Amino acid sequence: AAYYNAYNNFIDTRVIGVSQGLQVFQYQNLSNVTIYGLEARGEWRINANWRARGSAAWGYGYDNQTKLPVDSVDAARATAGIRWDSGWGLGAEANLTGGLRHTRVSNPTYYQTPAYMVLDLAANYDLGNQASINFGLFNVTNTQYFLSSDMTGVTGANPLRGLYAQPGRYAA
């Protein structure tokens, strides 16, 4: 899919200050914004038991009035995965998700999230029409990474920046 959007009175989130160590956000209207991008996803059935999947998204946004980037537009991200299904209820999958460095920020003091790559593993067992058991081990390599959408308006010098990181390795 490809998209091109021209907005009047685009509502964006802006950091307007810090109070007692916490950032204060405010919704603000940007009078004229353009956002465009590409998204793709697909799946290939290798055989009856194996499937390969992938997806990717890229967006570009700017404020037509100030000619600055729109901070809330995410950096490019992609996922590739493989899934196995036994045919009798047991299944497993591995997914690798990566994001590019987010360099398009409206203020040079804002934190530019670094590129990242994360591996997630999951298994499931289907008990029938009424129940299933699912297990996942996420961020297997315990990578510290940030989603650019979580870092909108956060400065690079913010001593609490690490609190915005995604969870380390965890199971669910």
Side-chain angles (χ1 to χ4, degrees):
Y3 59 91
Y4 181 92
N5 298 304
Y7 297 96
N8 290 319
N9 293 318
F10 180 81
I11 299 174
D12 201 16
T13 304
R14 297 291 171 119
V15 175
I16 60 168
V18 176
S19 175
Q20 299 176 2
L22 301 174
Q23 290 188 322
V24 179
F25 294 88
Q26 182 182 63
Y27 294 112
Q28 293 183 352
N29 285 352
L30 304 180
S31 63
N32 190 337
V33 168
T34 301
I35 299 175
Y36 57 87
L38 302 168
E39 296 180 2
R41 72 177 179 174
E43 180 176 285
W44 176 44
R45 184 172 288 272
I46 300 167
N47 61 36
N49 301 96
W50 290 91
R51 291 180 284 178
R53 300 186 290 203
S55 64
W58 169 83
Y60 189 90
Y62 57 93
D63 182 332
N64 293 307
Q65 188 174 14
T66 64
K67 306 298 183 207
L68 294 172
V70 175
D71 297 313
S72 58
V73 175
D74 284 334
R77 191 165 41 176
T79 299
I82 190 153
R83 175 154 181 85
W84 170 78
D85 286 305
S86 67
W88 44 269
L90 183 63
E93 65 183 284
N95 292 298
L96 191 61
T97 302
L100 295 181
R101 180 178 171 91
H102 189 224
T103 59
R104 292 193 36 79
V105 292
S106 64
N107 184 323
T109 66
Y110 288 169
Y111 183 61
Q112 297 179 21
T113 57
Y116 65 91
M117 190 157 298
V118 178
L119 174 65
D120 298 326
L121 303 173
N124 67 286
Y125 186 70
D126 187 2
L127 300 170
N129 291 337
Q130 302 299 318
S132 65
I133 298 171
N134 301 292
F135 175 80
L137 183 60
F138 303 97
N139 193 0
V140 172
T141 59
N142 202 29
T143 302
Q144 183 184 49
Y145 70 102
F146 301 86
L147 299 178
S148 57
S149 57
D150 292 343
M151 301 302 289
T152 301
V154 177
T155 64
N158 185 326
L160 302 176
R161 187 178 68 222
L163 297 177
Y164 293 89
Q166 291 297 297
R169 181 183 311 114
Y170 68 99

